[in-house]
Amino acid sequence: MSNLPVTLADIEQAARRIDGRVLNTPLVFSASLSERCGVPVGLKLEHHQTTGSFKLRGATNAVLSLTPEERARGVVAASTGNHGRALAHAARTEGSIATICMSRLVPDNKVSEIRRLGANVRIVGKSQDEAQLEVDRLVAEDGLVMVAPFDNRVVVAGQGTLGLEILEAMPDVATVLVPLSGGGLAAGVAAAVKGRSPKIRVIGLTMERGAAMKASLDAGGPVAVEEVASLADSLGGGIGLDNAVTFEMCRALLDDVILLSEDEIAVGMRHAYSQEREVIEGAGAVGIAALLSRRLGGLDRPVAVILSGRNVDMDLHRRVINGGVDPLAEAAAWPR
């Protein structure tokens, strides 16, 4: 653990740095899931965070770690939406300006919210990798400071503070289910909980189509994966072929990675709404989806499920909740 890019000490320092700037979100008992699974299931309501997702933790830690001169130059990042919203909020709070580069796959509701927060928005290409090229240009030509959405030590440390809160609220937790995209959340949470209690299982959850971290873990190193539309749009995008932080941490710390179909993700969203009274986006529903699909074995002790975000287009949410739709077709038909 001490040889990994982000340690428990880094996460504890991040918790002190961002204290008072992010919410300590509730962890609540789910009667419906506990009954179905036969063990206590706690839901970490991170979608109640100020900007609607966990991303505010890492973005805030990153902005606060910059020098005043760096903040004055402005920050820039590529994003599938939630990191951009979080960075826009954190930058504005600390007197800086954010520029967010996104592909055309990012839903319009996320783009408009980032603009509302005062950030400059660039829509570039059809993938996170293409948006990253614009970030690189702005860093080189305009001197902006890049705050990478996941492959960034201070961002990972910030996301890891969520793991510390899970342990405080649920000290007997045995398994933590965490959404997996570029690996910032999964790496940070795993480093936090395993740093305190190495026997806790941490399982990454993602969609079947375009799961870049899963493909990279299977290949033994970062690989390029085509980015495609999904109900779990926040989990899209590559991990970067020069990934320096999250690949190594996910390979060392994740006990398993489970892929979920679009139908299963839709079922998770419906359950969250009908049984838990929570509106969550597809990426936030993968933990519930995994429990409902019964793909997890060895559940004989308490489970914590991270509901990572709520920034979903509400027209889409209504169609998913009402059922009778093809989730894959719905994802592909989102307005760009």
Side-chain angles (χ1 to χ4, degrees):
M1 291 281 293
S2 61
N3 295 326
L4 292 175
V6 178
T7 66
L8 176 60
D10 296 326
I11 296 168
E12 292 170 338
Q13 182 183 46
R16 293 188 292 271
R17 183 179 289 126
I18 69 177
D19 184 40
R21 286 179 167 86
V22 304
L23 300 179
N24 185 329
T25 53
L27 191 150
V28 301
F29 175 79
S30 168
S32 63
L33 291 171
S34 298
E35 180 179 358
R36 182 181 290 256
C37 297
V39 297
V41 175
L43 303 178
K44 179 62 170 170
L45 307 185
E46 188 62 15
H47 62 300
H48 289 189
Q49 193 56 257
T50 304
T51 57
S53 85
F54 72 93
K55 291 284 192 176
L56 185 61
R57 297 172 182 270
T60 299
N61 192 46
V63 171
L64 291 175
S65 298
L66 298 176
T67 66
E69 186 273 334
E70 288 172 324
R71 287 198 289 271
R73 285 157 53 191
V75 295
V76 63
S79 175
T80 54
N82 285 338
H83 176 66
R85 183 171 179 172
L87 186 59
H89 177 91
R92 187 173 71 171
T93 300
E94 301 305 323
S96 185
I97 296 177
T99 298
I100 309 301
C101 301
M102 293 173 284
S103 80
R104 293 194 294 274
L105 289 177
V106 177
D108 288 346
N109 67 297
K110 294 185 177 182
V111 176
S112 62
E113 181 61 21
I114 291 169
R115 285 197 173 102
R116 187 190 68 79
L117 288 168
N120 300 316
V121 171
R122 305 286 180 93
I123 305 298
V124 182
K126 295 183 291 185
S127 72
Q128 181 97 322
D129 291 337
E130 290 183 56
Q132 182 60 44
L133 294 176
E134 178 68 2
V135 171
D136 295 339
R137 186 189 69 78
L138 291 170
V139 170
E141 296 181 8
D142 296 353
L144 301 186
V145 178
M146 184 175 72
V147 178
F150 53 86
D151 197 40
N152 180 316
R153 288 176 174 82
V154 290
V155 167
V156 171
Q159 319 303 27
T161 61
L162 197 158
L164 298 181
E165 291 178 12
I166 290 174
L167 293 177
E168 292 168 3
M170 200 177 192
D172 58 346
V173 65
T175 302
V176 179
L177 304 184
V178 55
L180 176 64
S181 178
L185 177 62
V189 168
V193 300
K194 288 180 178 286
R196 294 271 180 91
S197 183
K199 293 184 179 180
I200 295 176
R201 291 197 306 163
V202 180
I203 298 176
L205 305 164
T206 190
M207 68 285 193
E208 287 180 343
R209 303 166 69 245
M213 182 60 79
K214 171 62 172 170
S216 297
L217 292 171
D218 289 345
V223 296
V225 173
E226 181 184 3
E227 189 173 344
V228 296
S230 170
L231 288 177
D233 60 278
S234 295
L235 302 184
I239 71 166
L241 297 181
D242 56 350
N243 187 292
V245 180
T246 59
F247 173 79
E248 178 184 355
M249 293 185 70
C250 287
R251 180 169 58 178
L253 298 175
L254 292 184
D255 294 281
D256 197 4
V257 175
I258 294 176
L259 303 180
L260 296 155
S261 71
E262 298 297 311
D263 284 326
E264 288 169 332
I265 294 168
V267 169
M269 294 172 70
R270 293 188 194 111
H271 180 95
Y273 184 75
S274 64
Q275 300 297 316
E276 314 298 341
R277 302 296 189 264
E278 300 290 345
V279 173
I280 55 177
E281 59 187 282
V286 291
I288 293 176
L291 291 178
L292 295 176
S293 71
R294 299 190 182 280
R295 301 224 195 148
L296 297 168
L299 295 181
D300 56 1
R301 295 178 57 206
V303 178
V305 181
I306 297 172
L307 308 188
S308 57
R310 68 165 184 252
N311 298 323
V312 60
D313 179 271
M314 290 307 298
D315 287 337
L316 172 66
H317 187 269
R318 281 189 286 272
R319 293 195 295 274
V320 172
I321 297 308
N322 289 335
V325 299
D326 178 351
L328 214 58
E330 286 288 341
W334 291 346
R336 301 292 175 227

